[in-house]
Amino acid sequence: DIQMTQSPSSLSASVGDRVTITCRASQSIRNYLSWYQQKPGKVPKLLIYGASSLHSGVPSRFSGSASGTDFTLTISSLQPEDFATYYCQQSNSLPYTFGQGTKLEIK
Amino acid sequence: EVQLVESGGGLVQPGRSLRLSCAASGFTFDDYAMHWVRQSPGKGLEWVSGINWNSGDIGYADSVKGRFTISRDNAKKSLYLQMNSLRVEDTALYYCVKDVSGSLIRHYGMDVWGQGTTVTVSS
């Protein structure tokens, strides 16, 4: 199975900060990488698909990029509503796997 | 409005069975692959199983393979998960999730999530 390793596991930041979360795949997944946001008590929301494509309705401050087996989610200027847990997920090969999550907290 | 409503969760003893259902509305159900994703209390997301639009492709997480069976009824716009030989570690909130495409293989994300149904496995 493909392992997805996210870093960091948790992160403290302030409103207005630029934040980067990384996800590393244990083998090539091409660009079959999605990012999800989950707020406490809420269902996950799709942010990014295909490593770098923004899902409909997602603010443009969110972006994704890829370099080999390393994938990055960037929030250009943190807003109060962005404090949440973020997950990456590979869909290149079954079984699909999620990263362990990155909890983004207010500093 | 696109909506997924899960049902069938509950408290069950280890080794017993449970069948989850998911009723879809607001979209053309048979155009899309569907998934089950679970989340144990206070833990992360775990993909459990997926099925393509016509049930031709099916996949399972290693942790449930041989015990769980996913199926769908396009006429009823419903997704199912038959869970047998349940274990304590299967305790979780189970989400029914819509894919962005009809293909299970190499998809580009899951865009609609139900509110989930809770499964508790305990003696």
Side-chain angles (χ1 to χ4, degrees):
Chain A
D1 298 358
I2 296 176
Q3 307 303 315
M4 305 300 294
T5 303
Q6 280 183 242
S7 60
S9 297
S10 63
L11 175 60
S12 294
S14 302
V15 173
D17 283 353
R18 179 183 180 89
V19 166
T20 297
I21 298 169
T22 298
C23 183
R24 174 169 289 175
S26 60
Q27 64 189 74
S28 173
I29 59 170
R30 293 192 273 183
N31 70 334
Y32 293 99
L33 189 284
S34 301
W35 289 98
Y36 299 86
Q37 176 195 65
Q38 186 178 32
K39 297 179 181 179
K42 302 295 185 182
V43 304
K45 290 185 178 180
L46 176 64
L47 298 176
I48 301 281
Y49 64 93
S52 60
S53 296
L54 204 63
H55 181 58
S56 175
V58 175
S60 58
R61 63 181 179 273
F62 290 91
S63 64
S65 64
S67 177
T69 57
D70 290 338
F71 299 84
T72 299
L73 173 69
T74 299
I75 310 172
S76 59
S77 178
L78 271 176
Q79 298 302 301
E81 60 267 29
D82 299 337
F83 292 94
T85 300
Y86 293 84
Y87 296 92
C88 62
Q89 180 235 338
Q90 69 82 18
S91 55
N92 181 72
S93 58
L94 294 168
Y96 298 144
T97 44
F98 285 90
Q100 79 277 19
T102 295
K103 187 174 183 179
L104 179 53
E105 299 175 305
I106 300 174
K107 184 183 286 184
Chain B
E1 179 191 5
V2 176
Q3 197 171 15
L4 298 169
V5 179
E6 303 92 336
S7 60
L11 174 63
V12 62
Q13 293 179 327
R16 304 298 290 265
S17 299
L18 211 55
R19 189 192 195 208
L20 305 184
S21 299
C22 171
S25 60
F27 65 100
T28 306
F29 182 72
D30 52 8
D31 277 350
Y32 296 95
M34 297 293 296
H35 306 265
W36 290 100
V37 175
R38 70 184 181 185
Q39 187 167 34
S40 300
K43 301 296 184 181
L45 302 172
E46 180 185 13
W47 180 84
V48 173
S49 183
I51 185 169
N52 80 326
W53 69 278
N54 68 353
S55 306
D57 289 318
I58 287 175
Y60 298 98
D62 292 346
S63 58
V64 307
K65 193 175 295 184
R67 299 188 299 123
F68 290 11
T69 302
I70 191 172
S71 62
R72 64 189 295 161
D73 185 331
N74 287 343
K76 294 183 177 179
K77 298 183 180 180
S78 294
L79 178 71
Y80 306 101
L81 187 67
Q82 177 67 42
M83 304 185 296
N84 297 333
S85 303
L86 281 161
R87 303 169 180 169
V88 171
E89 54 266 32
D90 295 319
T91 294
L93 180 64
Y94 284 73
Y95 294 106
C96 170
V97 191
K98 171 187 168 291
D99 200 293
V100 298
S101 76
S103 172
L104 176 65
I105 307 301
R106 298 196 179 106
H107 73 149
Y108 281 112
M110 302 180 284
D111 63 343
V112 180
W113 297 61
Q115 292 299 312
T117 186
T118 300
V119 172
T120 304
V121 184
S122 175
S123 54

